[in-house]
Amino acid sequence: MLTDLFSIYAAVSQGEERISAAPVSASFRDFVAAQQAILNSEEARQYWTMMLSDATQSRLPRLQKNAGPSRVIVHRVDVSRELSLALKELARRAGVPLKSVLLAAHLRVLNVHTGGNDVVTGIVSHGRTETEDGERVLGLFLNTLPLRRRLAGGTWLQLVQETFAAEREQLPFRRYPMARMQQDIGNDTPLFEITFNF
C-alpha cells in the first residue's frame, strides 16, 4: 500500500494527471483459500497435536500476590554497536537471519527463568501466499503460533541453528489457526503466555 501511495504521490507532485496503480493479480481470497485448505489438512492437525500434546506452559516467575495491581512496565535496553555487529556476525556464521539469533536468545532466557528445558513461546508468523503479487495484497495475514523447543545444552551456534530449523519445520503449517490447535489437543489452558515478535 505504501509503495503504491508513494508512487502515486510522486506522479501527482510531478504534474501527471492520469494515475493508476498496477493491477494486482493476487487477492485476499487466495489467503482465505489457503487457510481453509490447512484447516482440512490431516497432516497439519497431526503435526500440531504431536507438537503440543504433552507440552506444559512456560510461565515466568510471578510477583507476590500483594505486590499491587498488574501494570505494563516498559524497560528500554539500548544495544551497543559492538553487540549489534556481534549478533549479526553470529547470524552470518550460522547461516540464519538475525531474527533466529534473537529468538534463540529469547528461548534461552525462558529456559533460565522457567527452570525447564522444554519451553513454549508464541511466535508471530505471516500467512501470505507465495503467489505472484502476494506481497502486494492488502490485509492482515498474521498468525501467532506456538514454538516449542527442548533445549539440551550445546553451543550458542547450535542453539541458533536448531531454532532456525524448528522455525522452518513449522513453516508449511503456519496458517493453522491457534484456536483450532487448542481444540485439537482438548486443553483449555493457553498454549503460551510469552510471545516473541521481531
Side-chain angles (χ1 to χ4, degrees):
M1 181 185 79
L2 291 175
T3 300
D4 288 344
L5 180 64
F6 288 134
S7 296
I8 292 169
Y9 178 81
V12 169
S13 66
Q14 293 173 6
E16 292 183 34
E17 292 182 14
R18 195 165 249 222
I19 300 160
S20 62
V24 179
S25 60
S27 75
F28 194 77
R29 248 180 303 193
D30 301 329
F31 166 70
V32 173
Q35 194 161 45
Q36 286 299 322
I38 200 81
L39 278 170
N40 295 322
S41 166
E42 182 61 22
E43 182 185 9
R45 188 190 70 72
Q46 287 179 1
Y47 173 84
W48 288 113
T49 301
M50 182 190 71
M51 179 69 66
L52 300 169
S53 63
D54 62 343
T56 56
Q57 188 187 68
S58 298
R59 294 178 56 86
L60 292 175
R62 299 298 196 255
L63 295 173
Q64 294 177 358
K65 290 188 187 271
N66 59 359
S70 299
R71 67 180 195 270
V72 174
I73 299 171
V74 176
H75 182 73
R76 182 185 166 109
V77 177
D78 292 324
V79 176
S80 70
R81 178 168 162 52
E82 294 79 21
L83 179 57
S84 176
L85 291 172
L87 290 170
K88 291 173 184 173
E89 174 58 21
L90 177 57
R92 188 197 62 73
R93 278 190 308 137
V96 303
L98 178 60
K99 171 195 171 198
S100 297
V101 172
L102 299 175
L103 177 57
H106 169 81
L107 293 171
R108 181 68 176 112
V109 168
L110 282 180
N111 169 235
V112 169
H113 285 285
T114 63
N117 290 334
D118 188 2
V119 295
V120 180
T121 192
I123 182 168
V124 177
S125 179
H126 80 86
R128 283 188 179 274
T129 57
E130 294 82 12
T131 57
E132 185 177 340
D133 286 342
E135 79 282 0
R136 293 186 58 211
V137 177
L138 301 182
L140 184 62
F141 300 90
L142 300 179
N143 190 19
T144 304
L145 302 171
L147 179 72
R148 182 180 185 186
R149 293 286 299 121
R150 291 178 180 91
L151 306 180
T155 66
W156 274 105
L157 188 63
Q158 289 170 323
L159 176 60
V160 168
Q161 290 171 330
E162 290 167 4
T163 299
F164 181 64
E167 288 180 271
R168 289 191 61 177
E169 177 186 295
Q170 71 182 39
L171 201 58
F173 311 112
R174 73 186 182 279
R175 293 184 186 100
Y176 201 76
M178 189 171 46
R180 180 60 69 87
M181 290 176 208
Q182 196 90 44
Q183 288 174 354
D184 291 346
I185 63 172
N187 187 345
D188 292 338
T189 305
L191 300 173
F192 49 84
E193 73 168 10
I194 302 132
T195 304
F196 174 86
N197 188 7
F198 177 77

